Amino acid sequence: MRAGRPIRPFWLPPAVTLLGAASLFLLVVGIRTSDPGAIWAFAALWPLTLLQGFRLLCRWTEPEPTPPLPLR
């Protein structure tokens, strides 16, 4: 095990970006075509997009941990 600060996942920002783009695409396709498949796909993908976006927002607003003071 590695001591020190925990490893933060670097994949979260690109994942939120891709999920947002896919959700927007499915929203537009669902509105333009009224295809039930596109609407259901959007309905399934949108909550996941919101969840990951909230995780990213929490990670960005989390204060950085302060390193412990050296012992003398």
Side-chain angles (χ1 to χ4, degrees), residues 1-70:
M1 296 287 284
R2 208 173 89 174
R5 68 179 216 188
I7 299 173
R8 294 183 133 179
F10 64 91
W11 51 265
L12 192 56
V16 171
T17 303
L18 290 174
L19 284 170
S23 293
L24 182 63
F25 174 76
L26 287 171
L27 175 69
V28 170
V29 169
I31 290 172
R32 300 267 306 164
T33 64
S34 297
D35 179 32
I39 295 170
W40 278 104
F42 170 75
L45 189 61
W46 182 240
L48 182 61
T49 304
L50 288 179
L51 177 69
Q52 295 295 74
F54 184 71
R55 285 184 61 206
L56 182 62
L57 181 64
C58 288
R59 190 175 92 179
W60 281 347
T61 58
E62 183 179 90
E64 290 292 323
T66 57
L69 296 173

